[in-house]
Amino acid sequence: GENVEQHPSTLSVQEGDSAVIKCTYSDSASNYFPWYKQELGKRPQLIIDIRSNVGEKKDQRIAVTLNKTAKHFSLHITETQPEDSAVYFCAVYYGKLTFGQGTILTVHP
Amino acid sequence: NAGVTQTPKFQVLKTGQSMTLQCAQDMNHEYMSWYRQDPGMGLRLIHYSVGAGITDQGEVPNGYNVSRSTTEDFPLRLLSAAPSQTSVYFCASTQGWQGIGEQYFGPGTRLTVT
């Protein structure tokens, strides 16, 4: 089955800094790569996703880049704010979704 | 729309008991799935369904059964609860074809098995 590795497991930044989270996957046939944000005690929510035929996608302060050759994709958050503090999960789809282990992002005011 | 609903919110079971976690969605989504979330392990897929009458196993199916008799409902059954099944369970539904697209998660069920 698909193997998804997510790094780092924890990330601490100052407000206004950028944050980058990276995921690697094993199955080269995977074709859909979403990112979810989960605040404490709440359900995961989609923040951005990318399909395999696209290299980069941006939505305001959030971007995702995909390198299919190297089988990795990354979440980039610019101008971080305290409300960005949450757990972020990457996921990889090939028939079904496989999630990474999560990154706890803390943004200090 | 209520979206994805799950009942109960909290449940405590004794080892060996059985129970059913309910999940329903009112968005007419074909694709539904069940995940469990444990600390440090992300979300792991238990079972999923691409439409009424069709179910398949995910990453961690042992100890769980599902059925999908209608588009709206996707219950998860624990046959004989074990302490290892203590977890938070999320149901999700997806509009996209074959599950590609935004997963709408329910509020979760926190299950403790003693």
Side-chain angles (χ1 to χ4, degrees), chain A residues 4 10 17 30 34 53 61 69 71 79 84-85 93 96-97:
Chain A
V4 180
T10 61
D17 288 349
S30 297
N53 58 349
R61 296 187 296 107
T69 302
K71 290 188 282 188
E79 301 171 24
D84 294 329
S85 297
Y93 178 91
K96 52 194 174 187
L97 268 185

Side-chain angles (χ1 to χ4, degrees), chain A residues 31-32 34 36 38 41-46 49 51 87 89 93 95-102, chain B residues 4 31 35 37 40-43 45 48 57-59 90 97-103 105-107:
Chain A
N31 56 5
Y32 174 65
Y36 284 81
Q38 186 178 27
K42 298 198 174 176
R43 70 194 82 183
Q45 291 193 299
L46 180 73
D49 58 6
R51 307 264 175 136
V87 182
F89 293 98
Y93 178 91
K96 52 194 174 187
L97 268 185
T98 302
F99 282 81
Q101 298 87 347
Chain B
V4 180
Y31 193 100
Y35 297 89
Q37 185 172 34
M41 300 190 75
L43 292 145
L45 182 65
Y48 65 103
Q57 295 182 350
E59 187 183 348
F90 287 100
W97 177 80
Q98 292 288 311
I100 295 180
E102 180 170 2
Q103 299 246 331
F105 285 87

Side-chain angles (χ1 to χ4, degrees), chain A residues 11-19 79-82 105-109:
Chain A
L11 181 57
S12 182
V13 300
Q14 290 295 127
E15 184 176 1
D17 288 349
S18 294
E79 301 171 24
T80 54
Q81 301 165 2
L105 174 64
T106 304
V107 181
H108 299 281

Side-chain angles (χ1 to χ4, degrees), chain A residues 32-105:
Chain A
Y32 174 65
F33 309 89
W35 285 91
Y36 284 81
K37 174 183 180 182
Q38 186 178 27
E39 296 176 351
L40 190 63
K42 298 198 174 176
R43 70 194 82 183
Q45 291 193 299
L46 180 73
I47 55 171
I48 197 166
D49 58 6
I50 194 168
R51 307 264 175 136
S52 58
N53 58 349
V54 176
E56 182 175 0
K57 184 176 178 181
K58 288 186 72 173
D59 183 4
Q60 299 182 347
R61 296 187 296 107
I62 293 172
V64 55
T65 58
L66 172 65
N67 185 326
K68 286 206 69 180
T69 302
K71 290 188 282 188
H72 66 73
F73 60 111
S74 298
L75 176 70
H76 305 256
I77 305 174
T78 59
E79 301 171 24
T80 54
Q81 301 165 2
E83 50 265 39
D84 294 329
S85 297
V87 182
Y88 291 82
F89 293 98
C90 66
V92 176
Y93 178 91
Y94 182 58
K96 52 194 174 187
L97 268 185
T98 302
F99 282 81
Q101 298 87 347
T103 296
I104 301 171
L105 174 64

Side-chain angles (χ1 to χ4, degrees), chain B residues 35-101:
Chain B
Y35 297 89
R36 60 176 289 173
Q37 185 172 34
D38 304 295
M41 300 190 75
L43 292 145
R44 292 185 292 169
L45 182 65
I46 305 172
H47 286 285
Y48 65 103
S49 169
V50 300
I54 307 168
T55 64
D56 206 346
Q57 295 182 350
E59 187 183 348
V60 287
N62 292 343
Y64 308 95
N65 272 0
V66 292
S67 60
R68 184 93 180 275
S69 56
T70 66
T71 298
E72 294 77 22
D73 300 298
F74 191 41
L76 178 73
R77 279 181 288 278
L78 279 71
L79 307 174
S80 177
S84 60
Q85 293 179 304
T86 293
S87 188
V88 179
Y89 291 84
F90 287 100
C91 177
S93 73
T94 308
Q95 183 179 24
W97 177 80
Q98 292 288 311
I100 295 180

